[in-house]
Amino acid sequence: MSDYDDFGEPLGAPIGLAARAMAARPMPYLEGLNPAQCAAVEAMDGPVLMLAGAGTGKTRALTTRIVHLLNTGRARPNEVLAVTFTNKAAREMKNRVGQMLGETVEGMPWLGTFHAICVKLLRRHAELVGLKSNFTILDTDDQIRLLKQLLRAANIDDKRWPARMLAGVIDNWKNRAWTPESVPASDAGLFNNQGMELYAAYQARLLTLNAVDFGDLLLHVVTIFQQHSDVLEQYQRWFKYILVDEYQDTNVAQYLWLRLLAGGHKNICCVGDDDQSIYGWRGAEVGNILRFEADFPGATVVKLEQNYRSTHHILGAASGVIAGNEGRLGKTLWTDKTCGDKVRLIGHWDGEEEARWIGDEAEAMQLGTRGDAGISLDDMAILVRASHQMRAFEDRFLTIGLPYRVIGGPRFYERMEIRDAMAYFRVTVQPEDDLAFERIINTPRRGVGDKALQSIQMAARAAGVPLLAAARKLLEAGEIKGKAKGALQVLVDGFARWASVAADPDANHVELAEVILEESGYTEMWLKDKSPDAPGRLENLKELVKALEQFENLQGFLEHIALIMDNASDEDEEKLTIMTLHGAKGLEFPAVFLPGWEEGLFPSQRTMDESGVKGLEEERRLAYVGITRAEALCTISFAANRRVYGQWQSQLPSRFIDELPEKHVEVLTPPGLYGGGYGAAGMAPSATMEAKAASADAYSSPGWRRMQSRQQERGFGAPREASKAVIDVTANASFTQGERVFHQKFGYGYVMGVEGDKLDIEFERAGSKKVVARFVVAADRADDVPF
DNA sequence: CCAAGGCCGGTTTTT
DNA sequence: CCGGCCTTGG
């Protein structure tokens, strides 16, 4: 009947038999699990909800459950569907299952992210939604460019109605599994009453491009399942057990997808924590997890509440904060660890001082000033609400030479040069990929401007063929003139040549990639480029080519890249991590800094404006996630003043600070200073009394004294008065080329050039910068610079 | 086809 | 206040 009965996957060893033999043996993997974890592993049949608080050994329970299913012969590895949200989580699970099973079992083909699994499914059944199985996956950038074209075609001013906004609207609809036909009338008014039409036009355009966006991966598969019960039933039978990680983050489309697949046997195990739902803004529905027992009657609910990560005080503080939320499923985390240090709270004068203090503190902790052995920088993290907060820390750490790593900057594959190179690869393997072709038709500049492109586009539309084919036709017909003619011919011929190499299974795709970048002139473009980031970009291109080695061909690689966000860089040196709270979910660090706990920043004003109490609760969960990342030391801070869009604003301490239970907190801020703190003006009136009491003895608290003595050791007098002083001691100083100098922000460097009062300086850590002379001192006077 | 200037906007982000 | 994007002018 169909050619996918065997699901295209090797079955590997006769697992059924092997498993039966193993089932008689003891199950060593169950040892060391606590009773709740055991229950979650052993409740194999029927729906199971595993409510796993932060740090309660969720991944261990989940992987053990998979091993148990395989080991008892309930399912073969390729009959278990295990879904995660991130590639990282998928990889970790794969590794851990592999480790527990030993090397005998081949990897599990259906363990992966929602998106990766959907790609696999959609490739098999693409024709059912009008696609070919070699469809391209567009990323956000492609998506925006496509929408811009549609807006232009529809004569819509994309100033007032930006493509980004439309992309957001469409994404939201796709997250809810709404096709253009099923968008409810209540949403008809969105995007200037034209959202639905544009959505339909966009989907039609994607089909002609043989392309999908991320949302489509799920949406199309759900559509297929809904419209082709025969296909659905096969998968329902095939996937004997389903496991879902981070269930609280599922959106409606993912939820429907899971319900459809689990519809037969209902052997679905969802793992999640309602208190860690922080992705509501991108369509996640906490409701999915809150409703689980209603959706799957008779479900077994297991709560994992023993925390193996954090000390008592840290858990207490986190629990106190999260208790402010309504409508929780309710868990009580406990630990048998020591009380440890209390959560430390400190207020600062401004954001720069906060960065300075954290930098000093990190150095002190690294050296072990606290009387213990010292903590590796790898074990410390600064978790911020918004990425712009990172800059203050980067600036400061650059100055003092504290090694750090920022997680979540522009990702490798989002960089311009990588996307350009990949566009060449995409056209090579998929000549219909018009978006990719448009991207590189004039990159590097080859004299093919708007005019030439427009005539190609018109020809393509008229003939109903892709752009590359249209370009070839126009050239043959001699209809392209001037500079564009020769260059375009070279490009078109190039693609023909490269495509034939790519089609040859014996050809080496890594060499092909190098040839493409060489012959197209792309590498040369960057070699000629004199901008400071050109060498870095060439480096990235090299890395890209190197990454190709791990794949069989270009197609395989492109697919991988489209779905992966790996940011592999060499990590030899110890570094302190700076990342957003969102990015930190699932991670843990011995020492965590949580700066910027101020009203408006955290909780974010915008979230509260847009989503009211619901938004505030999500922010509170974010606070909970932040605190629970810490194993031993958690330091929360806030500043009384902060520059917001260039304006100095005075800030109020976050309401979450008032929610921290007093008994788990040590206040380092002296009362009255820095205009804030537990007990300063601006706090919620209800908490004032309690807070005043808390801060009354702040001066005598061990933390405060420790801080004082440390600052004195370093020769810092009063912590702050000096900070505002301008470095004008050298206002009249002159510098000469080659002189070694010091800058408060960028550290040490050498003067490369002098133009009036501006200096061209090559800094040791911050690279080359143009700096006004009065902000710089001679290197031997660096000690005069007040910190 | 490119460079300079004006204008708007400015959370979180995986796939 | 800073940076990205788009427009305009050469």
Side-chain angles (χ1 to χ4, degrees):
Chain A
M1 151 200 159
S2 68
D3 57 357
Y4 47 86
D5 282 348
D6 67 359
F7 285 70
E9 303 301 335
L11 294 183
I15 302 256
L17 275 180
R20 244 175 287 158
M22 287 162 90
R25 285 195 257 139
M27 299 166 185
Y29 50 83
L30 291 180
E31 270 164 42
L33 293 184
N34 67 37
Q37 289 172 323
C38 252
V41 168
E42 289 181 324
M44 287 187 288
D45 294 313
V48 176
L49 176 63
M50 199 195 301
L51 283 173
T56 54
K58 161 196 85 164
T59 311
R60 176 159 186 208
L62 202 50
T63 48
T64 308
R65 187 181 161 89
I66 293 176
V67 169
H68 194 52
L69 287 170
L70 301 178
N71 212 16
T72 52
R74 297 298 182 103
R76 294 176 291 193
N78 58 352
E79 293 169 334
V80 174
L81 173 67
V83 244
T84 63
F85 274 84
T86 65
N87 292 298
K88 204 173 143 206
R91 210 178 316 126
E92 187 181 346
M93 207 179 285
K94 229 170 211 174
N95 287 342
R96 285 169 76 159
V97 170
Q99 267 171 22
M100 290 171 87
L101 282 176
E103 61 274 50
T104 42
V105 177
E106 262 303 295
M108 300 174 50
W110 299 104
L111 190 167
T113 63
F114 275 101
H115 294 266
I117 289 169
C118 282
V119 173
K120 217 165 183 171
L121 294 171
L122 194 54
R123 294 248 184 250
R124 288 180 177 178
H125 305 289
E127 78 288 352
L128 295 179
V129 284
L131 288 163
K132 289 187 279 172
S133 79
N134 66 340
F135 59 80
T136 326
I137 304 162
L138 302 187
D139 59 25
T140 330
D141 209 73
D142 295 322
Q143 202 187 346
I144 299 287
R145 281 189 303 138
L146 192 50
L147 288 172
K148 268 190 186 148
Q149 291 175 7
L150 289 174
L151 288 177
R152 208 157 297 170
N155 251 331
I156 296 169
D157 177 12
D158 73 355
K159 273 261 169 65
R160 281 197 51 185
W161 300 98
R164 288 191 170 280
M165 186 196 226
L166 180 57
V169 169
I170 291 178
D171 273 349
N172 270 330
W173 285 338
K174 288 185 175 176
N175 285 341
R176 297 192 170 91
W178 289 339
T179 60
E181 296 75 43
S182 61
V183 173
S186 56
D187 273 20
L190 291 183
F191 207 78
N192 200 20
N193 291 321
Q194 295 174 94
M196 288 161 71
E197 266 168 61
L198 288 163
Y199 180 22
Y202 172 66
Q203 291 306 93
R205 187 88 185 93
L206 285 175
L207 281 189
T208 63
L209 287 169
N210 193 32
V212 299
D213 63 22
F214 282 121
D216 282 336
L217 290 173
L218 272 142
L219 180 63
H220 282 321
V221 173
V222 167
T223 308
I224 290 169
F225 286 165
Q226 285 171 335
Q227 293 178 355
H228 301 271
S229 54
D230 55 324
V231 176
L232 174 63
E233 281 162 22
Q234 287 201 56
Y235 287 103
Q236 285 179 334
R237 281 195 301 274
W238 187 262
F239 297 132
K240 298 216 167 86
Y241 291 88
I242 300 176
L243 296 96
V244 190
D245 195 12
E246 306 280 13
Y247 188 63
Q248 78 282 353
D249 288 338
T250 50
N251 61 32
V252 174
Q254 287 155 340
Y255 165 79
L256 286 175
W257 187 90
L258 288 168
R259 272 199 69 157
L260 285 163
L261 280 172
H265 47 61
K266 303 206 166 53
N267 292 330
I268 181 169
C269 171
C270 293
V271 185
D273 180 357
D274 50 320
D275 291 335
Q276 290 187 69
S277 163
I278 55 175
Y279 285 107
W281 51 274
R282 67 176 200 217
E285 291 278 344
V286 213
N288 291 343
I289 195 166
L290 300 177
R291 238 186 17 245
F292 188 86
E293 291 179 79
D295 286 338
F296 295 98
T300 308
V301 179
V302 182
K303 287 184 185 178
L304 304 191
E305 298 177 299
Q306 181 176 1
N307 177 292
Y308 296 97
R309 178 186 297 156
S310 313
T311 60
H312 177 71
H313 280 311
I314 289 171
L315 282 188
S319 304
V321 171
I322 197 66
N325 275 2
E326 308 268 324
R328 302 169 55 216
L329 288 171
K331 296 179 295 333
T332 314
L333 293 186
W334 60 275
T335 179
D336 53 17
K337 287 198 171 199
T338 58
C339 281
D341 286 342
K342 290 185 175 183
V343 169
R344 305 182 306 162
L345 177 66
I346 179 162
H348 300 282
W349 172 252
D350 62 15
E352 280 170 46
E353 187 187 278
E354 184 181 48
R356 268 197 305 275
W357 186 83
I358 290 179
D360 292 347
E361 189 65 14
E363 286 184 327
M365 280 161 52
Q366 187 189 19
L367 295 173
T369 316
R370 303 173 60 77
D372 43 43
I375 307 176
S376 161
L377 287 177
D378 284 335
D379 290 335
M380 302 178 205
I382 299 175
L383 308 180
V384 296
R385 171 71 245 269
S387 46
H388 66 249
Q389 292 172 258
M390 294 179 181
R391 247 189 71 185
F393 295 101
E394 291 194 63
D395 283 352
R396 178 63 188 165
F397 297 167
L398 227 39
T399 305
I400 61 175
L402 182 76
Y404 66 90
R405 98 179 49 102
V406 170
I407 310 267
R411 281 167 230 317
F412 183 71
Y413 74 98
E414 279 169 8
R415 291 166 204 216
M416 187 193 353
E417 65 279 12
I418 298 303
R419 295 179 42 78
D420 287 342
M422 298 219 308
Y424 275 101
F425 303 160
R426 275 164 59 180
V427 179
T428 303
V429 300
Q430 234 253 108
E432 303 102 89
D433 194 332
D434 284 356
L435 285 165
F437 185 67
E438 274 171 32
R439 183 178 178 96
I440 46 80
I441 189 168
N442 201 31
T443 308
R445 301 264 124 92
R446 43 172 73 90
V448 185
D450 280 348
K451 232 181 108 202
L453 180 58
Q454 262 175 26
S455 60
I456 297 170
Q457 276 167 334
M458 275 166 51
R461 198 160 312 157
V465 297
L467 292 178
L468 180 59
R472 188 175 298 126
K473 269 193 189 163
L474 286 178
L475 284 167
E476 279 165 15
E479 286 180 39
I480 303 241
K481 305 268 188 287
K483 241 200 299 185
K485 187 181 170 191
L488 193 58
Q489 188 69 53
V490 171
L491 183 68
V492 167
D493 291 347
F495 275 122
R497 211 167 47 246
W498 303 326
S500 71
V501 179
D504 176 359
D506 294 329
N508 179 331
H509 66 286
V510 181
E511 275 170 32
L512 173 62
E514 281 171 328
V515 166
I516 293 174
L517 295 179
E518 208 51 55
E519 293 184 356
S520 62
Y522 193 72
T523 317
E524 202 192 336
M525 177 181 102
W526 287 115
L527 283 172
K528 279 191 195 154
D529 193 306
K530 282 201 266 301
S531 66
D533 46 343
R537 295 184 193 271
L538 284 165
E539 205 49 47
N540 288 338
L541 288 172
K542 268 194 207 140
E543 237 177 85
L544 177 74
V545 172
K546 214 168 87 195
L548 274 167
E549 285 167 12
Q550 294 166 31
F551 295 83
E552 272 181 32
N553 50 40
L554 282 182
Q555 280 98 323
F557 175 71
L558 290 173
E559 176 138 309
H560 173 80
I561 286 298
L563 293 171
I564 230 88
M565 52 82 176
D566 264 334
N567 201 352
S569 58
D570 33 3
E571 297 287 323
D572 33 4
E573 198 185 6
E574 275 186 22
K575 287 176 180 142
L576 179 155
T577 300
I578 306 175
M579 67 199 306
T580 62
L581 287 162
H582 284 91
K585 193 164 80 159
L587 304 180
E588 56 187 23
F589 300 88
V592 168
F593 293 97
L594 301 169
W597 281 42
E598 294 138 39
E599 282 297 296
L601 185 58
F602 187 45
S604 143
Q605 191 56 50
R606 189 156 155 184
T607 300
M608 291 189 296
D609 290 346
E610 277 172 14
S611 316
V613 177
K614 242 181 117 188
L616 176 63
E617 295 209 334
E618 185 155 310
E619 295 285 307
R620 192 175 279 118
R621 291 193 290 266
L622 212 39
Y624 173 79
V625 167
I627 299 170
T628 54
R629 294 312 93 191
E631 292 169 11
L633 204 54
C634 178
T635 310
I636 295 171
S637 59
F638 58 92
N641 298 285
R642 197 175 285 276
R643 235 191 345 211
V644 182
Y645 302 140
Q647 305 284 95
W648 279 99
Q649 269 186 16
S650 68
Q651 302 281 98
L652 299 177
S654 169
R655 68 191 74 191
F656 299 149
I657 286 177
D658 301 332
E659 295 172 8
L660 294 166
E662 195 191 313
K663 61 180 172 189
H664 298 299
V665 176
E666 177 187 10
V667 183
L668 304 186
T669 313
L673 253 193
Y674 314 146
Y678 234 41
M683 65 188 341
S686 62
T688 306
M689 293 296 288
E690 199 186 339
K692 274 205 176 114
S695 59
D697 62 347
Y699 268 130
S700 56
S701 75
W704 174 245
R705 273 188 314 223
R706 212 163 44 226
M707 190 177 79
Q708 287 291 297
S709 67
R710 192 155 54 233
Q711 281 180 337
Q712 255 140 39
E713 267 166 42
R714 285 154 192 248
F716 304 164
R720 199 181 34 78
E721 278 69 50
S723 74
K724 286 267 166 285
V726 182
I727 318 166
D728 58 1
V729 276
T730 57
N732 299 316
S734 59
F735 294 90
T736 52
Q737 207 163 339
E739 188 173 351
R740 189 170 152 85
V741 293
F742 179 83
H743 183 275
Q744 191 184 27
K745 214 167 177 178
F746 304 127
Y748 290 99
Y750 289 94
V751 177
M752 307 307 281
V754 185
E755 289 168 41
D757 67 336
K758 289 209 184 87
L759 304 175
D760 216 335
I761 301 175
E762 185 67 33
F763 287 104
E764 281 159 20
R765 290 190 179 265
S768 97
K769 308 245 181 223
K770 276 208 196 315
V771 175
V772 179
R774 90 189 136 82
F775 290 118
V776 168
V777 293
D780 53 11
R781 294 183 58 187
D783 291 343
D784 298 347
V785 179
F787 284 89

